[in-house]
Amino acid sequence: MLKQSIGGCAKFVQSNAFSLDYIGMYESYIVPATDVQKDEAFLSYIEENQMPLIEEGYASSRYLIDTLTNISGLIFYVFIIVVTHRILVYERTHQTILRGLPISKTQKVRSKFLVYFISLVGLLASCFGLAFLVGALGDGTGDFRYPRLIYLNGEFQAISTTLYLTYLFLGLVAVTGVVVLLSILLNTLIPNGYATIFIAIGLYFTSALFSIIGLNQIPFQLFQFVDIERVLSGDVAIVLGNSQLDFIRVLVILCVCMMILWGMIYLLQNRTYLRKKRSEAVA
């Protein structure tokens, strides 16, 4: 009954308010279709699982979501850039174990990437576990079945807190891989740690600049996908006017970006060898 009544409300808002262009309606009475869809998905989940409308208390389940969503975006991006800004420059100015090993430049870069990537993901997982422990000891574990709204397959859906946290964590892992590879690429092009930080932060805001001039195509808006929380909530899809940009597709785009970045790094690291082979072939 509740689901049917909410669905009817959604149809009324979309078919009447939108088709009539809000004629004769006060602005305060107009409900956006997206808000109606969110309410319908949320209340349907509540009804199907026989759960209370209001989440009880501020326990570990809610604390984890607030913690991860707050670091998602610029804060997480800058943190990774600061940690990795000398990922290759340090190797050139200091004696490390990699310098004495008989391995190629590409193998050294791959080793650097894996060490930093695994370390950062491990740190993220450790902080995730610590946040859960602190919240559980202070206010209890909470209800990890309580619904959270995400944008998926062109519509808003309600999923459990556990699944939402899993998506959020996987998204942050993918962002970690992209940003570490970006830092390696910038270090390869410009062997200066501070320049890497400033250029990387500047690149982050290029998506907003492109939006101002009306370039909302995916190649110009890649840095929008760094904020996984906005991807999950559907804000990125709404802002860019692309209903296809849900979490799954953005995750695929991030993986493709990693492959492209690695290809560029590989070519730059081996350009001297390739030039030598080309000159020998000509001779």
Side-chain angles (χ1 to χ4, degrees), residues 109 113 174 177-186 188-189 218-220 222-223 225 249-270:
V109 172
F113 168 74
V178 171
V179 180
V180 172
L181 286 173
L182 176 63
S183 185
I184 292 175
L185 178 62
L186 292 175
T188 304
L189 294 171
I218 290 177
F220 301 103
L222 292 175
F223 288 94
F225 306 145
R249 288 177 176 82
V250 168
L251 201 61
V252 171
I253 291 172
L254 290 174
C255 291
V256 171
C257 286
M258 281 193 279
M259 290 188 289
I260 293 174
L261 287 170
W262 176 250
M264 295 172 66
I265 293 167
Y266 178 83
L267 291 175
L268 289 171
Q269 290 291 333
N270 292 275

Side-chain angles (χ1 to χ4, degrees), residues 9-283:
C9 178
K11 291 178 181 179
F12 173 79
V13 172
Q14 293 176 352
S15 62
N16 288 275
F18 291 153
S19 62
L20 296 176
D21 199 21
Y22 309 117
I23 296 175
M25 296 183 67
Y26 290 104
E27 186 175 351
S28 58
Y29 294 158
I30 299 172
V31 180
T34 54
D35 289 349
V36 176
Q37 293 169 6
K38 290 178 182 179
D39 290 341
E40 182 182 7
F42 180 83
L43 293 173
S44 296
Y45 184 99
I46 289 290
E47 184 182 29
E48 291 172 4
N49 294 275
Q50 299 297 310
M51 303 181 70
L53 282 174
I54 301 176
E55 188 175 10
E56 297 180 1
Y58 191 83
S60 181
S61 57
R62 187 174 172 186
Y63 180 70
L64 278 174
I65 290 180
D66 289 346
T67 301
L68 291 180
T69 53
N70 284 333
I71 68 171
S72 176
L74 181 60
I75 294 176
F76 191 63
Y77 177 85
V78 171
F79 171 75
I80 298 175
I81 288 296
V82 170
V83 171
T84 62
H85 73 285
R86 300 190 67 195
I87 189 169
L88 298 184
V89 175
Y90 187 87
E91 182 71 23
R92 299 184 182 125
T93 57
H94 296 79
Q95 290 286 345
T96 66
I97 189 173
L98 288 178
R99 184 181 288 271
L101 295 177
I103 57 178
S104 65
K105 289 183 177 179
T106 304
Q107 290 174 319
K108 290 181 180 180
V109 172
R110 188 188 301 119
S111 300
K112 287 273 190 177
F113 168 74
L114 289 175
V115 168
Y116 275 84
F117 176 73
I118 294 173
S119 299
L120 286 167
V121 172
L123 179 62
L124 179 63
S126 300
C127 293
F128 187 88
L130 182 62
F132 170 77
L133 182 62
V134 171
L137 292 176
D139 301 300
T141 58
D143 190 353
F144 282 87
R145 299 177 302 132
Y146 199 77
R148 309 292 170 183
L149 291 171
I150 67 166
Y151 183 75
L152 198 63
N153 297 324
E155 62 181 7
F156 290 96
Q157 300 179 13
I159 60 174
S160 66
T161 298
T162 301
L163 188 56
Y164 182 87
L165 288 171
T166 301
Y167 285 167
L168 190 56
F169 184 80
L170 289 176
L172 291 174
V173 170
V175 169
T176 300
V178 171
V179 180
V180 172
L181 286 173
L182 176 63
S183 185
I184 292 175
L185 178 62
L186 292 175
N187 260 203
T188 304
L189 294 171
I190 306 169
N192 185 289
Y194 295 109
T196 296
I197 294 176
F198 286 119
I199 293 173
I201 293 175
L203 287 172
Y204 182 87
F205 294 102
T206 55
S207 294
L209 295 176
F210 285 133
S211 292
I212 293 174
I213 60 178
L215 296 175
N216 289 328
Q217 293 79 10
I218 290 177
F220 301 103
Q221 298 295 329
L222 292 175
F223 288 94
Q224 292 266 16
F225 306 145
V226 172
D227 195 341
I228 292 298
E229 188 275 330
R230 294 184 69 243
V231 172
L232 284 171
S233 66
D235 289 346
V236 171
I238 293 172
V239 168
L240 300 183
N242 188 340
S243 61
Q244 301 299 315
L245 291 177
D246 59 9
F247 174 74
I248 302 300
R249 288 177 176 82
V250 168
L251 201 61
V252 171
I253 291 172
L254 290 174
C255 291
V256 171
C257 286
M258 281 193 279
M259 290 188 289
I260 293 174
L261 287 170
W262 176 250
M264 295 172 66
I265 293 167
Y266 178 83
L267 291 175
L268 289 171
Q269 290 291 333
N270 292 275
R271 63 183 182 275
T272 303
Y273 174 77
L274 294 174
R275 288 174 183 172
K276 182 179 179 181
K277 293 290 290 184
R278 192 181 298 112
S279 60
E280 289 177 354
V282 172

